[in-house]
Amino acid sequence: MLYTVSRSPYQCDFNAIFNLLTGGDDILFIQDGVLAGIEANRYLPTLINSGITLYALKEDIEARGLLGQVSDKVQVIDYTDFVNLTVKHHQQFAW
């Protein structure tokens, strides 16, 4: 399943997300959700240890001036890659 997180991690129930994640899932951070991918975010270590792949939309990172602050464990992607993720995952859940 593809989870798209568009809200700030401080306005999102990450504990609920942690309980839903299974192997093969991906999370894509978009809009204010890209804040979850910055190095100092408190939820990031748990997300990394969950074994899923983390992505963040480059345009949203740049719009917030966070390009140099994103963890190297988060893959920065563009809109074409975003479309490829939606093709890969038939099921999607937006947060």
Side-chain angles (χ1 to χ4, degrees), residues 3-5 12-22 25 27 29 47 52 93 95:
Y3 294 92
T4 54
V5 178
C12 188
D13 186 359
F14 268 92
N15 291 322
I17 294 174
F18 296 145
N19 290 329
L20 295 172
L21 296 174
T22 60
D25 289 344
I27 291 182
F29 302 122
L47 288 168
I52 61 163
F93 195 95
W95 286 89

Side-chain angles (χ1 to χ4, degrees), residues 58-77:
K58 180 180 179 182
E59 288 80 1
D60 290 335
I61 293 167
E62 290 174 341
R64 287 153 183 82
L66 299 172
L67 196 55
Q69 300 176 45
V70 176
S71 169
D72 62 352
K73 303 292 185 187
V74 177
Q75 296 181 37
V76 178
I77 63 171

Side-chain angles (χ1 to χ4, degrees), residues 2-3 5 10 12 27 32 34 49-50 55 59 62 64 66 71 81 88-90:
L2 174 64
Y3 294 92
V5 178
Y10 305 104
C12 188
I27 291 182
D32 286 342
V34 297
N49 291 333
S50 69
Y55 300 93
E59 288 80 1
E62 290 174 341
R64 287 153 183 82
L66 299 172
S71 169
D81 297 319
K88 174 184 172 185
H89 295 280
H90 298 288

